[in-house]
Amino acid sequence: MSEQVKEFNDYREKMNQKILGDNNKIIKRIFNLDTNAFTEGALDVKTKELLGLVASTVLRCDDCVKYHLESSYREGLTKEQVMETLSIATLIGGTIVIPHLRRAYEYWEALEAQDQQ
């Protein structure tokens, strides 16, 4: 696994465990809602991940972008599909999201690199 991907996942897992370990009902419900929102429904999981990627990019949440990139990668989306999605996000979000586009592109490369190791 790419070091960048491993660091992100390790940190996310550690902090999620701490946060959920505090047993805050509202936070647990938000986490549960987030998980369930991205399951198969009227829209397939791939479409939902791409929608999450656009929203996360426009909202400029790098952690969210990484999460949706990784989920998209696991779902078998192609680089072309993801980059087209990011192009829509950049169009909608404007030039202020270009730094997030750069980091997203770099993270996608890290995801691809882990398969080459």
Side-chain angles (χ1 to χ4, degrees), residues 15-106:
M15 293 311 299
N16 283 352
Q17 285 178 359
K18 285 183 177 190
I19 291 165
L20 293 172
D22 278 347
N23 208 25
N24 180 298
K25 188 189 307 185
I26 295 169
I27 290 176
K28 282 188 168 188
R29 286 182 176 175
I30 291 169
F31 273 59
N32 184 276
L33 180 61
D34 180 65
T35 298
N36 286 311
F38 286 91
T39 61
E40 192 82 20
L43 296 174
D44 63 21
V45 174
K46 290 179 180 182
T47 301
K48 288 182 176 187
E49 287 302 335
L50 294 176
L51 289 168
L53 180 58
V54 168
S56 297
T57 305
V58 171
L59 292 170
R60 302 186 303 256
C61 176
D62 283 334
D63 280 6
C64 305
V65 168
K66 287 177 182 177
Y67 175 81
H68 290 292
L69 284 171
E70 195 160 344
S71 296
S72 295
Y73 189 80
R74 276 196 319 270
E75 287 296 318
L77 288 158
T78 66
K79 181 178 184 178
E80 291 76 19
Q81 290 169 315
V82 169
M83 293 308 140
E84 189 168 321
T85 300
L86 287 169
S87 71
I88 298 299
T90 305
L91 172 67
I92 300 301
T95 57
I96 197 161
V97 303
I98 290 174
H100 304 276
L101 172 64
R102 290 182 191 119
R103 288 188 288 274
Y105 194 94
E106 177 184 38

